[in-house]
Amino acid sequence: MRTKIHANNNALGNPVRRSATPVQENDIVYVCELIEVFEADATASDKGYNVNHLHDKITKQSSEIVILPKPNRKVQGP
């Protein structure tokens, strides 16, 4: 069985929290759980994490969203 390692990093790139998930699971399933214990000025990720429910969670945490928009997204972010 293979696993993926997910990590939260601070502004310096140092890991502050890690978790492992099965390879066949979609990453977005676990991202909300990873970010819920942190207070950050900004939350950055790649465009694979550009989904509405994650945007809502980041906004509720008063964090700036720094995620590239997917090209097929109807409402493009800044």
Side-chain angles (χ1 to χ4, degrees):
M1 183 166 153
R2 299 176 348 180
T3 58
K4 289 187 229 179
I5 305 296
H6 306 275
N8 291 78
N9 298 328
N10 64 16
L12 299 174
N14 299 316
V16 292
R17 184 175 182 198
R18 289 176 282 211
S19 68
T21 61
V23 169
Q24 67 273 17
E25 293 285 335
N26 188 320
D27 297 345
I28 202 70
V29 173
Y30 300 97
V31 71
C32 288
E33 179 182 308
L34 279 172
I35 68 169
E36 69 186 14
V37 296
F38 293 102
E39 291 183 22
D41 294 331
T43 301
S45 184
D46 65 17
K47 61 185 172 184
Y49 293 93
N50 192 338
V51 295
N52 290 336
H53 72 277
L54 181 58
H55 280 229
D56 294 342
K57 184 149 185 82
I58 293 169
T59 302
K60 286 179 186 173
Q61 292 178 328
S62 300
S63 182
E64 179 184 355
I65 299 169
V66 186
I67 302 175
L68 290 173
K70 292 179 181 179
N72 63 347
R73 192 165 173 88
K74 291 181 181 179
V75 178
Q76 296 287 322

